[in-house]
Amino acid sequence: MRTRSNSGVRLDYYQRVVHKLILDHQQPVTGLFPASPDNDHAWIRDNLYCILAVWGLSMAFKKIADQDEDRAKTFELEQSCVKLMRGLLMAMMQQKDKVEKFKSTQHPLDSLHAKYSAITGRTVVKDNEWGHLQVDAISLYLLILAQMTASGLQIVFSLDEVAFIQNLVFYIESAYCTPDYGIWERGDKTNHGLPELNASSIGMAKAALEAMNELDLFGARGGPSSVIHVLADEAQKCQAVLQSMLPRESNSKELDSGLLSIISFPAFAVDDPQLITKTRDTIVNKLQGKYGCKRFLRDGHKTPREDPNRLYYEPWELRMFENIECEWPLFLCYLVLDYCFQGDKHNISVYMQKLENVMIRKEDDGIKLVPELYAVPSEKADLEQCQPGSQERIPLGRCPFVWAQSLYILGKLLQEGFLAVGELDPLNRRLCSEKKPDVVVQIVILAEDNEIRDKLIEYDLHVQTIAEVAPIEVQPARVLSHLYTYLGRNKKLGLSGRKSRDVGILSTSKLYSLNDRIFAFTPQFSDMKRFYIASDYELMVDTLKAEINFLKSSWQNLLGRPLVVLTLNQTYLDQGKIPMAMITTMKKLKSGYINGTRVNLGQLGDFLSTSAITNLTSFLGSQEDGYPDKLNPQVHSYLEEHLLRSFSNKMSFLSRPAGRPNARMLKRRMSVRGAIKKTRSINVDSETLGMEGEYVGPQLERKPSWLEVDYGRSPSPDDARRKSITKGTSTTGLGVGTITSTEVSKDKLPTPPKEQGPNINKNIPVIVRNRTASESQGVSYAEQETDELVTMLRDTESLDEQGDILQYLVDTHGLEFNTGMTENGKAVRVKDLLKALYEKACTQKLWGLVRHTAGMLGKRVEDLAKAVTDLLVRQKQITVGMPPNNEHTITAPLPENELRQLIHLAYGDDESTAMLTQELLVYLAMFIRTEPQLFMEMLRLRVGLIIQVMATELSRTLSCDGEEASEHLLNLSPFEMKNLLYHILSGKEFAINSVGRGNFSIVSNKSHRYGKKSQIILESGQSLQGNIEDIAPIAEPDRQGQWLRRRRLDGALNRVPRDFYPRVWGVLEQCQGLIIQGKVLQPNLTQEMTSGELKFALAVETVLNSIPQPEYRQLVVEALMVLTLVVEYKAVSHLGGTITVEHLVHKANQIFLEDQMRCNGDATLCCAKAEAGGGGGGVGGALLCGGAAGVCQHLYDSAPSGSYGTMSYLARAVAALLAERLPPEAPVECAIT
């Protein structure tokens, strides 16, 4: 009998334990582990965690393998791991159709199943009988597959399996915007089966995407075909969302111990060490107990008060589980592993001791087992609730809980030195939070032609032209996005490759090789074809700076240096000159630093050795046809076609022939004039800001958009062409059934409505109006006049007039109408004319026209879905449309075409405002990425209201009327639009400079100190009895109206004071409900939700949003704050019944007016005067000064503090309310100072 070293004996002991507790239960056919001897369901997640101990033990044996039998043991253990991983792979491959479907729909019923039969590997429950959509489980599979492959195991055998795994990568790509059921399989914590966005799923997906990137699934023996490709931007999106959510888990769970698997082993998904510490500390402080950690607050699972006969909870009963939630030893295992990876020996032994204290020894062989959870016995529940942590708990559930047991064994192997942390993490994910050297961004600027190159030489800037950088080929980002759609295609399995069209800056900042060609791609934001924002060079420069900054922070874990290639073409010239904004930026780039980022401006050839180069050949070859070295014929023809029309594309439809228009033409021209203006819907009049009441005025006209419903607008000329080639991958699936060919013959065209009828589109409030003379004349000319209109179109020089004619043509004939003109032998449609006009307007920088034509062409902002998602996943909801009757709330990420449909639906025919909304969403997303502090304490962004406030601010600054202001607004260049939005978000004062050609530039103003009390200065000699109309138009000094403006901005942006929602939660605890605008906030909300829960904040926010006027909303928020003070200072023991918050505001208004009467203040000119005359109280009087909701303008314009401030009036109103409610003999102590 041979002697074993101590370590060998110890490992043999662990091998016995692993065999007894884990491997003995592995099914011999499928390799899966059943949940228990009497339940053959095998969960993906549990199976993966079970096998980790086996994998760890195999590596420990490999190190001490001094004899053949140790090598044999190693191999035997490794093969058990391979068997399990392949068993799961086979089970998932049976559901390949689901993977294909889910890429497009992201629907819970199309997801892969979360559990399979351990005996057959088939499904065990139906799609709708379980919360199957668990992104974290599939992500964990990919992560562990990557780690095991990197450690030398061969798990994947064929290229078909490689293609399937590539498609699993696409399956989890959109994790950052896919609400799922999460690690506990229950979604929202009431367990009603509502999926939500979970930080733990997003973190696991990020880790899996990073781990799979450029991984060869055949290990050392593979070639280019077995490599998995991941677009770095997808992992980056998960990273950004994760960063904004932590330490919150989801809308309904403000914290979850499952996050331990994200911040440490196995995912290591967080790069920011401070955030890791913050998350860990919060979990330890709020959830850790003597027996382990609670999963989340108010978790009713297996508690004595849970009703075992039903799966779900009533919302009101969640409060009963407070302080008696079960504690899970599993999380002590995670903490042990976390400290092992940190090398913190003290904490390893502390937590290992805690864990071993709660383990249970088996009778027969003395092995220690980890139980599933510890619950409070039912007779001790009340005591535990009063004094948390005081009672003994009992173990329930499975014992051993193999998921936890497996992690415990790993912890022991690490603690005793049999494993090094690097062996459990061969991909070195644990180092992602280490500090890295600064990124240097390489920048190449190329001129379109020699003319532009020579213009740059004048400024001592030497660049190459696109032709000179050959053999490197430069292409726009859309070419790369098209090439990526071939990734993962497999005919045998029926898999179609990548669905998403988005390629971000991280993907275009690399070089790509294809056979022997090298490609560089220009970033998506500079792609003129796609969207007009790109043709505003000032905004381009601004975006470039932001993107360079983004690369600096996001390129951390990627190879090589990022490379940004930009091309300068004729469109950027301003009257033949290169704009100064561009020159100064290029000079900055040349200096080597821009906005604190190191840059290197140089020639493309010099950067070949320092940039990352990705090989695309593998998936663009004809692998399945047996020609792995030949390019796929489709790809070949696509590239050839693209090289021809790479960067120039000019049209000449609208060039003008000689000759004068005849008189009939002039008459005709009158009938189309103003066609565009008629579609506007921005409303600025201050008394109807927020438009409460049915205000039907000239700017509100809205025609039903029948265009919208009848055919999907093709997003870009390329896509239209592509749509006729590849059926089934259409990007515009509107609800009408996808149209695969874009040729719509004339007889199929919808007959346009001649009169606006209410039956066309139910969701748009149709405002029927009498036709103006010129319009009815237009109708009588209808059919036969089209050719004349087309001639007129050519005759006119003015682009605005061309726009009106085209608007008329679209309204009467639709976009696909054949105008009878031909260009290069092809028939010209109205749509082609519009495109040409759009391009001209872009060149001439006529932004109002650009926005309108872009809307008519159905262009969508480049990254619209991404922008909306960026806002939503950072827990900001969005509403589009004009309040209050037409706001649509977006609460979950939507696909691009649905979003565009929703936005165009919300604004009816007003294409310009619909485009402006898309544009603003992109800017809001830029700001939330770069300056998240602007969005503090804002839960919902109401874009319609923001547009109205922008127009109001312009009309205030330019002192013009509403219609003019909305024209100015729509004509601002994209850069100025972004600037104005920035000033409104940050509340900075601004002034407007005119820059000629009707364009404005917006500059910051030094903010004035606010006066304590508002002053209206009367012209001398004007008597107070004078008519109120005489007083109104007095030019007021700018200081007047400061606080009103401030409240209006804060109200429109839905901004609230810090910790406002948790404090309102406290007020609800003390009364029987709060009534706002007729809606009641019930006190039972505190039973359902914890005070820090996002769902509670949204409930309060929804009620506040029913107030149409922003400034009135702000006063209501202030009134609520006064109530919170009463509660916090315990001025009274209870606030009594329900409180109508508006009554407090009106009471404060009444006290204010009485004060004004007494001291003869400003309000005696309007509301207080009416009070004196007894004219119908405050409400009757409010008509005089036009204050919103019957509250005097002067109260809105008072500062919050001071003896005449709003807070003191609201406090007096609250005191009056309490005086009514308290018994008369009880003395009221005033605790509000």
Side-chain angles (χ1 to χ4, degrees):
M1 168 126 189
R2 67 190 178 84
T3 55
R4 294 278 290 182
S5 61
N6 285 343
S7 57
V9 173
R10 190 83 182 124
L11 273 184
D12 288 344
Y13 164 71
Y14 282 123
Q15 194 205 5
R16 278 201 308 282
V17 172
V18 165
H19 257 284
K20 207 162 203 159
L21 301 182
I22 301 175
L23 290 177
D24 282 354
H25 302 289
Q26 189 170 20
Q27 282 290 330
V29 179
T30 59
L32 303 180
F33 296 108
S36 66
D38 43 5
N39 176 2
D40 75 322
H41 294 189
W43 270 264
I44 296 181
R45 185 185 304 99
D46 296 53
N47 272 255
L48 290 165
Y49 278 117
C50 291
I51 206 69
L52 286 180
V54 183
W55 178 50
L57 191 63
S58 75
M59 292 189 288
F61 268 116
K62 196 188 262 179
K63 278 206 295 201
I64 65 149
D66 50 351
Q67 288 139 356
D68 285 349
E69 66 182 79
D70 287 341
R71 286 193 204 97
K73 273 180 194 158
T74 301
F75 187 68
E76 187 190 323
L77 291 165
E78 285 179 348
Q79 290 312 100
S80 298
C81 298
V82 173
K83 177 86 175 165
L84 173 100
M85 295 301 282
R86 290 194 59 74
L88 287 173
L89 181 60
M90 294 308 107
M92 290 191 279
M93 283 181 79
Q94 309 262 0
Q95 294 201 298
K96 58 185 185 297
D97 306 344
K98 283 188 163 303
V99 174
E100 179 57 30
K101 215 164 159 197
F102 185 82
K103 288 187 301 190
S104 311
T105 62
Q106 272 112 45
H107 192 280
L109 296 181
D110 295 333
S111 65
L112 284 171
H113 281 207
K115 58 180 184 175
Y116 299 91
S117 160
I119 298 161
T120 63
R122 300 257 167 202
T123 57
V124 282
V125 289
K126 293 203 183 77
D127 291 353
N128 55 359
E129 292 175 349
W130 197 257
H132 284 298
L133 176 48
Q134 298 167 27
V135 177
D136 72 306
I138 309 296
S139 304
L140 182 68
Y141 177 79
L142 291 175
L143 172 64
I144 289 179
L145 173 69
Q147 293 280 26
M148 286 183 171
T149 304
S151 78
L153 300 186
Q154 169 119 30
I155 293 165
V156 175
F157 293 173
S158 71
L159 286 177
D160 294 325
E161 291 172 10
V162 172
F164 180 75
I165 284 172
Q166 179 69 65
N167 278 275
L168 281 188
V169 167
F170 301 144
Y171 180 95
I172 64 166
E173 235 182 18
S174 53
Y176 69 98
C177 59
T178 309
D180 70 341
Y181 294 101
I183 186 170
W184 310 124
E185 308 193 291
R186 45 174 55 195
D188 182 287
K189 72 175 167 203
T190 53
N191 214 9
H192 280 261
L194 302 169
E196 46 182 15
L197 215 51
N198 290 295
S200 51
S201 297
I202 295 170
M204 202 54 87
K206 178 210 179 225
L209 290 170
E210 289 180 345
M212 291 309 283
N213 192 14
E214 305 286 319
L215 179 82
D216 191 331
L217 287 176
F218 291 172
R221 285 172 266 177
S225 313
S226 51
V227 174
I228 294 292
H229 296 270
V230 179
L231 274 80
D233 301 272
E234 305 300 329
Q236 169 54 36
K237 287 178 202 166
C238 291
Q239 152 79 14
V241 176
L242 188 61
Q243 212 110 28
S244 75
M245 286 179 81
L246 288 177
R248 169 181 286 139
E249 159 74 353
S250 69
N251 278 5
S252 72
K253 305 183 191 79
E254 58 177 274
L255 190 60
D256 191 311
S257 296
L259 292 170
L260 289 170
S261 64
I262 297 306
I263 59 174
S264 177
F265 181 81
F268 301 105
V270 186
D271 299 350
D272 174 2
Q274 286 167 315
L275 194 55
I276 295 176
T277 312
K278 178 182 176 184
T279 307
R280 186 192 304 111
D281 291 350
T282 318
I283 290 172
V284 168
N285 294 337
K286 286 194 179 176
L287 299 174
Q288 188 182 315
K290 194 164 89 183
Y291 298 90
C293 298
K294 301 164 177 176
R295 296 190 306 181
F296 46 88
L297 297 172
R298 297 189 180 180
D299 168 21
H301 180 63
K302 297 223 161 134
T303 55
R305 295 191 178 153
E306 182 184 46
D307 178 350
N309 303 320
R310 56 187 157 92
L311 270 176
Y312 62 92
Y313 306 125
E314 296 300 343
W316 50 265
E317 63 181 340
L318 288 174
R319 185 69 177 262
M320 307 189 314
F321 306 136
E322 204 158 287
N323 297 333
I324 57 164
E325 304 97 333
C326 296
E327 292 180 359
W328 296 58
L330 164 68
F331 300 113
L332 297 176
C333 305
Y334 275 115
L335 285 162
V336 167
L337 289 171
D338 186 4
Y339 288 118
C340 288
F341 276 90
Q342 288 179 47
D344 180 343
K345 290 213 167 83
H346 169 69
N347 273 318
I348 297 174
S349 52
V350 169
Y351 277 98
M352 194 57 98
Q353 192 55 53
K354 278 187 178 176
L355 179 58
E356 290 181 341
N357 289 346
V358 296
M359 288 170 74
I360 295 165
R361 216 177 258 285
K362 266 170 76 178
E363 295 299 316
D364 49 355
D365 51 13
I367 296 178
K368 285 180 155 181
L369 306 179
V370 186
E372 186 171 356
L373 51 83
Y374 277 91
V376 180
S378 50
E379 67 278 2
K380 296 185 178 164
D382 293 334
L383 293 167
E384 177 73 17
Q385 210 150 20
C386 305
Q387 217 182 337
S390 60
Q391 305 302 309
E392 290 290 313
R393 292 178 176 237
I394 49 172
L396 289 180
R398 289 167 282 180
C399 185
F401 183 40
V402 190
W403 170 354
Q405 192 76 33
S406 171
L407 293 181
Y408 166 68
I409 293 169
L410 279 187
K412 290 304 278 184
L413 292 172
L414 285 168
Q415 191 187 17
E416 295 177 22
F418 292 117
L419 272 181
V421 285
E423 291 171 287
L424 277 182
D425 178 27
L427 291 171
N428 295 329
R429 293 209 42 77
R430 64 192 181 288
L431 306 177
C432 74
S433 59
E434 303 285 310
K435 196 147 169 43
K436 314 261 183 334
D438 274 351
V439 174
V440 178
V441 181
Q442 309 172 137
I443 296 186
V444 173
I445 293 176
L446 299 174
E448 184 184 42
D449 50 31
N450 295 347
E451 185 193 343
I452 294 186
R453 183 192 61 186
D454 299 341
K455 285 188 172 155
L456 282 171
I457 290 180
E458 293 169 24
Y459 295 100
D460 193 29
L461 294 163
H462 298 272
V463 302
Q464 291 174 296
T465 62
I466 297 178
E468 287 169 353
V469 295
I472 301 174
E473 297 170 41
V474 181
Q475 292 285 356
R478 59 177 183 274
V479 175
L480 178 63
S481 99
H482 181 75
L483 293 181
Y484 263 121
T485 56
Y486 291 90
L487 185 53
R489 286 194 189 181
N490 185 295
K491 292 188 200 117
K492 274 193 257 175
L493 292 170
L495 296 170
S496 70
R498 184 169 188 263
K499 281 279 188 281
S500 162
R501 294 247 162 232
D502 192 38
V503 283
I505 183 85
L506 296 176
S507 306
T508 53
S509 300
K510 300 185 202 167
L511 294 171
Y512 291 85
S513 63
L514 182 54
N515 291 349
D516 43 7
R517 298 156 78 174
I518 294 185
F519 287 90
F521 293 100
T522 55
Q524 204 160 291
F525 71 81
S526 66
D527 193 347
M528 304 277 305
K529 263 290 181 325
R530 323 267 308 236
F531 199 60
Y532 64 82
I533 290 186
S535 56
D536 179 6
Y537 56 82
E538 286 182 292
L539 187 70
M540 268 278 294
V541 167
D542 199 48
T543 314
L544 174 66
K545 290 178 187 165
E547 295 288 3
I548 289 177
N549 211 1
F550 174 76
L551 281 172
K552 171 188 168 181
S553 58
S554 307
W555 192 264
Q556 297 296 355
N557 301 318
L558 302 170
L559 299 170
R561 287 178 170 182
L563 168 72
V564 181
V565 178
L566 294 169
T567 56
L568 278 191
N569 51 24
Q570 296 289 345
T571 26
Y572 292 128
L573 299 186
D574 197 2
Q575 295 159 350
K577 293 200 190 69
I578 293 177
M580 270 328 283
M582 291 190 131
I583 298 294
T584 44
T585 308
M586 287 189 220
K587 295 211 156 147
K588 259 196 186 144
L589 291 171
K590 203 172 160 187
S591 74
Y593 267 95
I594 186 161
N595 293 11
T597 306
R598 283 183 60 195
V599 289
N600 184 356
L601 182 64
Q603 309 229 324
L604 200 44
D606 307 343
F607 293 145
L608 281 177
S609 55
T610 49
S611 306
I613 300 187
T614 297
N615 184 353
L616 296 178
T617 316
S618 57
F619 63 85
L620 295 174
S622 312
Q623 189 79 44
E624 285 191 280
D625 305 332
Y627 299 106
D629 304 329
K630 271 182 77 174
L631 262 193
N632 182 325
Q634 275 177 311
V635 178
H636 187 73
S637 59
Y638 177 81
L639 285 174
E640 289 312 306
E641 183 192 355
H642 249 275
L643 287 183
L644 294 177
R645 51 188 189 82
S646 133
F647 275 100
S648 60
N649 194 350
K650 299 188 173 64
M651 288 187 170
S652 59
F653 306 136
L654 300 177
S655 51
R656 175 185 174 181
R660 296 294 315 133
N662 56 26
R664 190 158 171 211
M665 289 285 178
L666 289 174
K667 199 168 162 198
R668 183 78 180 95
R669 185 169 296 170
M670 292 312 292
S671 68
V672 293
R673 173 155 303 150
I676 289 185
K677 216 171 204 166
K678 285 171 191 143
T679 62
R680 301 272 195 261
S681 68
I682 302 176
N683 168 43
V684 181
D685 302 353
S686 58
E687 58 277 19
T688 54
L689 183 64
M691 287 163 21
E692 102 273 18
E694 292 290 308
Y695 167 70
V696 181
Q699 302 96 283
L700 261 179
E701 286 172 350
R702 208 176 259 168
K703 292 175 288 186
S705 180
W706 49 274
L707 260 179
E708 199 52 43
V709 192
D710 280 285
Y711 27 73
R713 296 169 167 174
S714 162
S716 73
D718 287 18
D719 286 6
R721 195 170 297 107
R722 197 171 304 132
K723 232 195 287 180
S724 32
I725 308 169
T726 55
K727 299 192 173 179
T729 55
S730 155
T731 44
T732 52
L734 297 166
V736 199
T738 308
I739 289 167
T740 39
S741 154
T742 47
E743 301 306 314
V744 178
S745 62
K746 192 171 173 185
D747 53 6
K748 282 197 203 129
L749 272 175
T751 47
K754 286 280 177 271
E755 227 1 291
Q756 285 91 326
N759 56 343
I760 299 153
N761 196 332
K762 293 285 191 297
N763 302 18
I764 300 173
V766 177
I767 290 156
V768 181
R769 58 199 162 89
N770 299 326
R771 292 186 166 275
T772 55
S774 67
E775 262 189 280
S776 34
Q777 198 183 354
V779 171
S780 64
Y781 273 113
E783 285 304 315
Q784 75 279 25
E785 298 290 328
T786 310
D787 46 345
E788 292 188 17
L789 270 180
V790 174
T791 323
M792 261 173 70
L793 194 60
R794 292 198 130 165
D795 286 349
T796 170
E797 283 288 287
S798 142
L799 291 191
D800 283 325
E801 209 165 301
Q802 293 184 3
D804 281 341
I805 295 172
L806 285 173
Q807 169 76 41
Y808 179 82
L809 279 175
V810 170
D811 280 351
T812 46
H813 301 293
L815 282 174
E816 299 295 331
F817 178 71
N818 183 350
T819 55
M821 297 160 69
T822 54
E823 167 97 3
N824 304 338
K826 278 167 106 180
V828 174
R829 298 165 303 170
V830 174
K831 189 174 184 178
D832 303 316
L833 293 176
L834 257 181
K835 274 184 199 147
L837 176 65
Y838 166 78
E839 283 169 17
K840 275 192 169 177
C842 279
T843 324
Q844 295 189 24
K845 314 275 183 259
L846 298 171
W847 298 112
L849 189 57
V850 168
R851 286 189 176 96
H852 191 81
T853 48
M856 287 166 71
L857 284 167
K859 285 192 173 290
R860 51 172 188 235
V861 177
E862 197 26 62
D863 301 323
L864 180 62
K866 196 165 126 212
V868 169
T869 305
D870 273 337
L871 294 162
L872 287 172
V873 293
R874 287 173 175 79
Q875 294 88 58
K876 309 286 175 223
Q877 293 194 343
I878 301 162
T879 66
V880 294
M882 294 298 175
N885 310 325
N886 220 16
E887 280 194 282
H888 298 255
T889 305
I890 304 173
T891 54
L894 292 172
E896 197 101 26
N897 42 4
E898 276 179 44
L899 260 176
R900 199 182 71 230
Q901 224 181 337
L902 179 77
I903 290 174
H904 282 265
L905 190 78
Y907 296 101
D909 249 11
D910 186 357
E911 302 286 6
S912 316
T913 316
M915 280 330 278
L916 181 55
T917 298
Q918 297 192 31
E919 205 180 311
L920 291 179
L921 285 169
V922 170
Y923 302 152
L924 286 166
M926 284 181 185
F927 290 140
I928 205 165
R929 284 197 292 263
T930 52
E931 302 189 51
Q933 69 280 1
L934 289 177
F935 295 84
M936 293 292 282
E937 313 303 334
M938 286 156 60
L939 277 184
R940 197 167 283 165
L941 304 166
R942 299 165 78 186
V943 183
L945 206 46
I946 291 176
I947 291 177
Q948 288 187 0
V949 168
M950 287 168 90
T952 316
E953 286 287 275
L954 280 183
S955 89
R956 186 181 65 87
T957 334
L958 295 168
S959 37
C960 60
D961 70 354
E963 194 171 331
E964 223 178 305
S966 51
E967 275 302 305
H968 285 315
L969 179 66
L970 290 166
N971 276 304
L972 285 179
S973 78
F975 176 69
E976 296 305 346
M977 188 71 75
K978 182 180 172 201
N979 218 343
L980 175 61
L981 178 65
Y982 179 79
H983 280 87
I984 279 174
L985 279 178
S986 56
K988 287 187 176 143
E989 291 286 319
F990 64 90
I992 288 184
N993 299 340
S994 176
V995 204
R997 283 200 301 177
N999 289 351
F1000 294 109
S1001 102
I1002 286 150
V1003 289
S1004 294
N1005 217 352
K1006 293 284 171 281
S1007 158
H1008 309 294
R1009 298 305 310 143
Y1010 301 131
K1012 271 284 162 59
K1013 202 172 164 216
S1014 60
Q1015 298 136 355
I1016 291 184
I1017 298 159
L1018 285 180
E1019 302 285 319
S1020 56
Q1022 191 159 19
S1023 65
L1024 288 184
Q1025 285 75 29
N1027 216 350
I1028 196 73
E1029 273 75 26
D1030 304 344
I1031 300 173
I1034 294 170
E1036 305 157 358
D1038 206 17
R1039 178 154 315 171
Q1040 146 79 40
Q1042 285 273 21
W1043 279 104
L1044 172 60
R1045 167 177 182 263
R1046 179 84 173 269
R1047 286 195 171 93
R1048 199 169 267 173
L1049 287 186
D1050 282 346
L1053 294 170
N1054 290 7
R1055 211 177 244 134
V1056 294
R1058 182 158 296 169
D1059 292 334
F1060 173 71
Y1061 300 108
R1063 291 165 84 170
V1064 173
W1065 193 88
V1067 173
L1068 271 185
E1069 286 271 73
Q1070 298 294 320
C1071 68
Q1072 265 140 45
L1074 295 167
I1075 301 175
I1076 296 169
Q1077 203 69 13
K1079 298 203 167 128
V1080 187
L1081 273 175
Q1082 301 284 3
N1084 63 352
L1085 286 177
T1086 61
Q1087 309 286 318
E1088 298 173 27
M1089 306 170 195
T1090 54
S1091 61
E1093 204 171 298
L1094 198 61
K1095 262 168 66 182
F1096 175 73
L1098 287 169
V1100 178
E1101 163 73 90
T1102 307
V1103 171
L1104 284 174
N1105 275 359
S1106 58
I1107 303 175
Q1109 310 89 336
E1111 58 269 49
Y1112 184 45
R1113 173 200 156 102
Q1114 272 323 84
L1115 274 191
V1116 169
V1117 167
E1118 285 174 40
L1120 283 168
M1121 283 307 283
V1122 174
L1123 281 174
T1124 64
L1125 292 172
V1126 174
V1127 171
E1128 283 163 24
Y1129 285 104
K1130 299 192 172 56
V1132 286
S1133 56
H1134 196 268
L1135 292 171
T1138 54
I1139 298 172
T1140 309
V1141 187
E1142 285 121 309
H1143 287 178
L1144 292 177
V1145 177
H1146 286 292
K1147 179 77 182 159
N1149 185 41
Q1150 191 190 333
I1151 302 174
F1152 167 75
L1153 293 179
E1154 286 163 10
D1155 270 12
Q1156 288 285 306
M1157 292 291 291
R1158 225 184 350 264
C1159 65
N1160 200 3
D1162 301 337
T1164 47
L1165 301 179
C1166 49
C1167 308
K1169 181 172 83 177
E1171 287 275 294
V1179 183
L1183 301 173
L1184 295 175
C1185 70
V1191 174
C1192 181
Q1193 284 274 25
H1194 295 284
L1195 181 61
Y1196 284 126
D1197 205 16
S1198 310
S1201 56
S1203 52
Y1204 290 104
T1206 51
M1207 288 308 252
S1208 58
Y1209 287 115
L1210 287 166
R1212 284 158 73 179
V1214 170
L1217 167 91
L1218 292 177
E1220 290 166 23
R1221 299 213 166 170
L1222 290 176
E1225 61 276 2
V1228 179
E1229 282 187 34
C1230 182
I1232 298 179
T1233 49

